[in-house]
Amino acid sequence: MTPSILVVEDDAALCELLTWNLGAEGYDVRATGDGEEALVMVREQAPDAIVLDWMIENVPGIEVCRQLRKDKVTAAIPI
């Protein structure tokens, strides 16, 4: 099974760079630039790790992190 990473980055060029490099290393990569969408994506299919920007659209990264840490299901995901 391929390990998965969620990239949450609103800078399109940086997001593309991270997604390409992680994919080249064999990871299954999903990406979004929106904190609210990131929370939905994690709850639909929990990744093995998350690369999270702090300053993103709708829900700031620090709040995304807080919400994920409060939930027993997502609390152990490395961010």
Side-chain angles (χ1 to χ4, degrees), residues 9-67:
E9 171 59 64
D10 60 347
D11 180 317
L14 183 54
C15 185
E16 184 178 342
L17 180 68
L18 288 166
T19 300
W20 187 89
N21 280 295
L22 291 167
E25 291 297 322
Y27 293 97
D28 175 29
V29 183
R30 295 182 299 151
T32 184
D34 182 291
E36 191 173 327
E37 185 178 8
L39 290 169
V40 170
M41 291 172 78
V42 169
R43 291 187 176 112
E44 286 177 350
Q45 181 182 350
D48 294 305
I50 301 171
V51 177
L52 178 62
D53 183 14
W54 287 63
M55 298 175 69
I56 53 176
E57 299 289 322
N58 293 326
V59 180
I62 190 68
E63 184 58 30
V64 171
C65 186
R66 282 186 187 125
Q67 289 188 33

Side-chain angles (χ1 to χ4, degrees), residues 42-43 45-47 67-77:
V42 169
R43 291 187 176 112
Q45 181 182 350
Q67 289 188 33
L68 293 174
R69 291 295 178 244
K70 285 193 301 187
D71 187 338
K72 289 186 285 186
V73 175
T74 59
I77 297 173

